[in-house]
């Protein structure tokens, strides 16, 4: 009887630990959309980022994360004369291959490469559940590319010639 009770307690503790780990990953791997928002100053991207949230509250850090992550791994499309951009990382597996670097990078370093444009916040209530919170974010593409090249994450533009 005691063994069965102990087994149940251990199984519950393992389940809670796995649930917490899944929640931590979910926080980093948030759902977002990214698109061109115009042309910024030389050496920057101006992107519109939409982050999906159940509460309707999204921090500037989450918006910056989505913008920088999107520029590195997804790229974005442009419409009506706005420029589009391919992802900086040419390989779809680079995020897993360089997981240690990106864990450190997305722990706070990414914040220096993005800034939210004041007055550009929008919140849209979705039909079924949650909200879509958006803002225009300026990403320092030249500095970001230089950082990724120096870290050996991506190849330099001149390396193919």
């Amino acid at each position: 009887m005691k063994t069965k009770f102990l087994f149940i307690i251990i199984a519950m503790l393992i389940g809670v630990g796995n649930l917490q780990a899944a929640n931590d990953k979910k926080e980093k791997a948030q759902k977002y959309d990214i698109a061109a928002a115009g042309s910024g100053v030389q050496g920057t991207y101006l992107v519109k980022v939409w982050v999906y949230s159940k509460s309707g509250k999204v921090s500037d850090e989450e918006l910056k994360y989505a913008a920088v992550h999107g520029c590195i791994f997804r790229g974005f499309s442009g419409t009506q004369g706005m420029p589009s951009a391919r992802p900086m990382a040419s390989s779809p597996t680079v995020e897993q291959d360089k997981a240690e670097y990106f864990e450190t990078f997305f722990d706070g370093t990414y914040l220096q490469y993005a800034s939210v444009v004041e007055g550009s916040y929008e919140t849209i209530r979705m039909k079924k559940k949650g909200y879509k919170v958006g803002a225009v974010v300026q990403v320092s593409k030249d500095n970001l590319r230089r950082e990724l090249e120096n870290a050996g994450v991506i190849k330099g533009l001149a390396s193919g010639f």
Side-chain angles (χ1 to χ4, degrees), residues 112-123:
Q112 65 187 332
Y113 299 104
S115 60
V116 178
V117 175
E118 292 297 320
S120 66
Y121 295 94
E122 291 182 62
T123 302

Side-chain angles (χ1 to χ4, degrees), residues 34-68:
I34 183 171
S39 49
V41 294
Q42 180 93 19
T44 66
Y45 287 137
L46 204 56
V47 294
K48 177 73 173 204
V49 179
W50 294 98
V51 176
Y52 295 86
S53 165
K54 290 182 181 181
S55 66
K57 296 182 182 186
V58 174
S59 68
D60 282 357
E61 287 78 19
E62 290 174 285
L63 292 165
K64 291 176 184 181
Y65 170 86
V68 171

Side-chain angles (χ1 to χ4, degrees), residues 139-156:
V139 178
S140 301
K141 70 174 179 175
D142 290 350
N143 293 336
L144 178 59
R145 176 171 285 286
R146 196 172 308 114
E147 163 70 24
L148 296 173
E149 287 174 1
N150 291 341
V153 174
I154 62 173
K155 293 180 181 178

Side-chain angles (χ1 to χ4, degrees), residues 18-32 51-54 62 65 129:
N18 288 341
L19 183 61
Q20 183 62 37
N23 284 341
D24 290 345
K25 277 188 177 181
K26 188 177 179 183
E27 189 176 307
K28 282 277 191 201
Q30 62 189 337
K31 185 177 176 190
Y32 67 88
V51 176
Y52 295 86
S53 165
K54 290 182 181 181
E62 290 174 285
Y65 170 86
K129 54 184 171 182

Side-chain angles (χ1 to χ4, degrees), residues 1-13:
M1 182 78 163
K2 287 183 180 181
T3 307
K4 189 175 184 181
F5 182 73
L6 183 62
F7 178 78
I8 291 171
I9 298 268
I10 290 172
M12 288 174 58
L13 289 174

